[in-house]
Amino acid sequence: MQPPQLVFDASVIQQETTIPHQFVWPEGEKPGPDPAPELQVPVIDIGGFLSGEPFQVSKATQLVDEACKKHGFFLVVNHGVDPRLLAKAHELMDFFFGMTLSEKQRAQRKLGETCGYASSFVGRFTSKLPWKETLTLPYFAAAAADDDDEKPSNSAEKYILSLMGDDFKEFGRFYQEYCEAMNNLCVGILELLGTSIGVGSHFRRFYERHESVLRLNYYPPCQKPDLTLGTGPHCDPTSITILHEDQVGGLQVFVDGKWHSITPHTQAFVVNVGDTFMALTNGIYKSCVHRAVVNKKISRKSIAFFLCPKMDKVVYPPQQLLASTNTPRLYPDFTWQTLLDFTQKHYRADINTLAAFTNWLHNQDIQIQISSMSTT
């Protein structure tokens, strides 16, 4: 007789004093009993940078350059996103994740796909499962939508409507609006990053036709928070992450050989560099290992916008950057589609994703060469 299928029903499992073994992490990866020291991340006045005022530009670019060369994390304030939009985003998360499991599963994420509802990674992995639920929505920039009729500019709204029906029309419309706000914020952040590293508006132009995703994260309480993780140690395989979180806290970053916490700020966004952007800068700006811990008293919510290139966009460093640094290429050319497929079909994203992906590409090239030789 087969054992019963594991189910992650947050309303039930958060009360259990014994958690399933699939959620228990190895000794070396469990969160320690002591609180993590706070990571001192720079607070960037993005509005000041975009004003063009020389002092503000110089200050912002210097702080971002230093942070991205060390760990890739910084906070953004004066960003122009309406606080009421942020408040409602969290309210609607409470609504969605407060529904019954069967209701949420109407948006169930299909195996091999990136969007939809996921109750932990049950069904995809069998160990080191994260203590969380997620809802992921697609977002295509208007320019990308213009190129492909199957990628509408109101993609988040249409996606929710297709899965959840007309009752969720306003829900989908709201998160579409949230994605538009993140898209506008990305423009300024990319300009800041390009100015900081010395390539001007190159990154902003590179991502004009981006195909990104929005992820709502819900971390329920856990009666054994010292045994599990809300999200395991990993580097984001995407380009740039723009995160807004509630006041509970739980984000930790691995810097200088130990874990550090990032204190939540309701009026700020946490921005971090991902693997794709690290490759785009030839390793100059770092994609840093981070994780999320949970607690036994209160749920935690966060909203992450993952900026990604257009699927078929070839990722490689600008020649201007290579010439100015006089350094060899660290990573081969690749498309975002190839890296995404690698993380969905061949490899579970972790702290070594980019290195593993580079080796995998190299092996693929060798196999192609061998195959070509055998047919000639």
Side-chain angles (χ1 to χ4, degrees):
M1 178 182 295
Q2 290 185 338
Q5 184 177 4
L6 178 65
V7 175
F8 185 82
D9 186 340
S11 65
V12 175
I13 204 167
Q14 64 181 301
Q15 309 292 340
E16 297 182 359
T17 55
T18 302
I19 66 174
H21 68 86
Q22 294 93 333
F23 293 92
V24 177
W25 285 66
E27 286 301 323
E29 298 180 60
K30 292 175 184 174
D34 300 323
E38 184 177 357
L39 180 65
Q40 298 301 315
V41 291
V43 179
I44 307 301
D45 181 350
I46 190 73
F49 166 78
L50 294 173
S51 74
E53 198 279 318
F55 174 76
Q56 295 282 5
V57 172
S58 175
K59 181 181 178 182
T61 53
Q62 180 182 348
L63 289 173
V64 163
D65 188 58
E66 291 173 354
C68 288
K69 285 177 177 176
K70 183 173 177 62
H71 50 63
F73 275 79
F74 56 94
L75 300 182
V76 164
V77 296
N78 193 17
H79 41 67
V81 179
D82 191 332
R84 292 171 295 183
L85 186 78
L86 298 174
K88 187 172 181 181
H90 286 270
E91 288 174 11
L92 288 179
M93 285 180 67
D94 286 332
F95 163 72
F96 180 84
F97 290 111
M99 296 192 306
T100 64
L101 180 61
S102 61
E103 289 174 315
K104 290 178 284 192
Q105 286 176 331
R106 290 161 58 192
Q108 186 69 43
R109 172 178 172 176
K110 296 180 176 61
L111 196 63
E113 295 185 359
T114 56
C115 294
Y117 168 74
S119 52
S120 185
F121 289 142
V122 172
R124 186 181 177 197
F125 302 115
T126 57
S127 65
K128 298 200 295 187
L129 295 181
W131 194 267
K132 68 175 179 180
E133 299 176 277
T134 61
L135 177 65
T136 307
L137 310 176
Y139 176 76
F140 306 121
D146 290 342
D147 293 343
D148 191 337
D149 290 340
E150 294 184 3
K151 296 173 180 176
S153 58
N154 61 338
S155 51
E157 180 181 349
K158 282 199 167 186
Y159 183 80
I160 281 292
L161 197 62
S162 69
L163 295 176
M164 303 297 288
D166 287 341
D167 289 346
F168 280 76
K169 191 171 185 177
E170 290 303 317
F171 182 94
R173 185 174 295 165
F174 172 79
Y175 282 111
Q176 180 69 38
E177 182 184 354
Y178 188 94
C179 286
E180 299 292 350
M182 294 302 99
N183 178 56
N184 292 335
L185 182 54
C186 278
V187 173
I189 291 173
L190 290 170
E191 192 71 19
L192 171 60
L193 290 165
T195 304
S196 299
I197 207 170
V199 297
S201 299
H202 176 86
F203 298 142
R204 178 173 56 79
R205 293 191 298 269
F206 183 87
Y207 287 96
E208 280 178 346
R209 288 171 166 76
H210 66 89
E211 301 180 19
S212 302
V213 295
L214 180 73
R215 178 164 296 158
L216 314 181
N217 300 303
Y218 180 78
Y219 303 91
C222 177
Q223 298 306 307
K224 298 290 184 182
D226 55 326
L227 299 181
T228 192
L229 289 167
T231 302
H234 70 288
C235 297
D236 294 338
T238 47
S239 295
I240 301 294
T241 303
I242 305 176
L243 181 84
H244 191 268
E245 54 181 335
D246 61 18
Q247 288 296 287
V248 175
L251 174 62
Q252 295 185 348
V253 185
F254 196 73
V255 181
D256 295 331
K258 60 183 177 181
W259 289 104
H260 294 74
S261 64
I262 292 185
T263 301
H265 298 274
T266 54
Q267 298 307 312
F269 288 97
V270 182
V271 179
N272 71 271
V273 170
D275 287 342
T276 300
F277 198 80
M278 183 163 78
L280 192 59
T281 65
N282 201 39
I284 297 173
Y285 282 0
K286 309 303 182 188
S287 175
C288 194
V289 179
H290 54 286
R291 69 183 185 182
V293 298
V294 294
N295 68 84
K296 67 191 311 181
K297 294 182 179 180
I298 188 170
S299 62
R300 172 177 176 256
K301 303 187 300 294
S302 68
I303 310 171
F305 185 83
F306 296 104
L307 176 70
C308 311
K310 196 170 185 290
M311 285 292 181
D312 59 0
K313 187 81 169 178
V314 179
V315 177
Y316 60 92
Q319 188 58 43
Q320 178 184 354
L321 181 62
L322 294 174
S324 65
T325 56
N326 194 29
T327 54
R329 288 281 302 276
L330 298 182
Y331 311 102
D333 291 0
F334 63 90
T335 64
W336 167 236
Q337 179 73 70
T338 307
L339 176 54
L340 179 62
D341 287 347
F342 176 72
T343 61
Q344 295 300 310
K345 300 175 183 178
H346 305 287
Y347 192 84
R348 180 176 179 177
D350 61 10
I351 64 176
N352 298 308
T353 302
L354 190 55
F357 176 62
T358 300
N359 290 334
W360 181 78
L361 285 178
H362 178 67
N363 291 333
Q364 295 291 106
D365 288 342
I366 291 176
Q367 291 175 14
I368 291 173
Q369 291 173 12
I370 293 173
S371 176
S372 177
M373 291 171 61
S374 65
T375 57
T376 58

